[in-house]
Amino acid sequence: MKNNKQEGFFLWETILLSMLLLAMAASAGMYMRAAQLKYVVAIEGRADYLARAQISYAQAVLDKEGRLPQRMDYWGDKHDLQLNGINYQLNGEAAADDKGLWQLQVEVSWEANGRQGKQEYKRCLAKHK
């Protein structure tokens, strides 16, 4: 029998090509997941910004007037509620307790790409003296 040095190379080439294709498919999947996660984090980051702004506005009103309305819409610029085709909705509720503290609950909701999301924030506010 002849010993041919070319035997088996096709098998090794096929195995290496398969491994390369698997690595490329895995990296493409990770890239898509990272891009999706980046999009979700951007949406939730905007919700955090809106809620913190509303809490700051509520603190300013409390310091100026000494009380908060029971229900409140967003007190900032209405253009803040729209970004990149995503419409945010913000609702706030405030209640006073017997110690002069105000319990503020801010709810930010949105709809993006057919999916809905919602975040709730609760803070305890007091009038600054």
Side-chain angles (χ1 to χ4, degrees), residues 10-77:
F10 182 72
L11 177 63
W12 283 109
E13 290 170 352
T14 305
I15 290 172
L16 290 176
L17 182 62
S18 300
M19 293 172 118
L20 180 65
L21 289 174
L22 283 172
M24 288 173 57
S27 65
M30 288 189 300
Y31 173 78
M32 293 300 292
R33 181 68 179 142
Q36 181 185 20
L37 188 59
K38 182 179 175 183
Y39 182 71
V40 168
V41 167
I43 291 172
E44 291 178 358
R46 183 67 173 186
D48 288 342
Y49 164 78
L50 292 171
R52 289 175 190 268
Q54 182 70 2
I55 292 167
S56 295
Y57 291 134
Q59 182 67 57
V61 168
L62 181 61
D63 289 343
K64 184 178 180 181
E65 298 176 8
R67 62 182 320 275
L68 291 173
Q70 185 177 3
R71 292 191 170 268
M72 62 192 87
D73 291 328
Y74 185 61
W75 283 331
D77 188 8

Side-chain angles (χ1 to χ4, degrees), residues 46 50 74 77-89:
R46 183 67 173 186
L50 292 171
Y74 185 61
D77 188 8
K78 298 299 179 190
H79 297 290
D80 290 345
L81 297 175
Q82 296 177 349
L83 181 70
N84 296 331
I86 301 169
N87 292 322
Y88 293 88
Q89 297 170 352

Side-chain angles (χ1 to χ4, degrees), residues 96-114:
D97 64 8
D98 56 351
K99 298 176 185 175
L101 298 176
W102 289 82
Q103 301 296 325
L104 178 65
Q105 179 175 345
V106 177
E107 179 181 294
V108 182
S109 59
W110 64 88
E111 183 175 341
N113 293 335

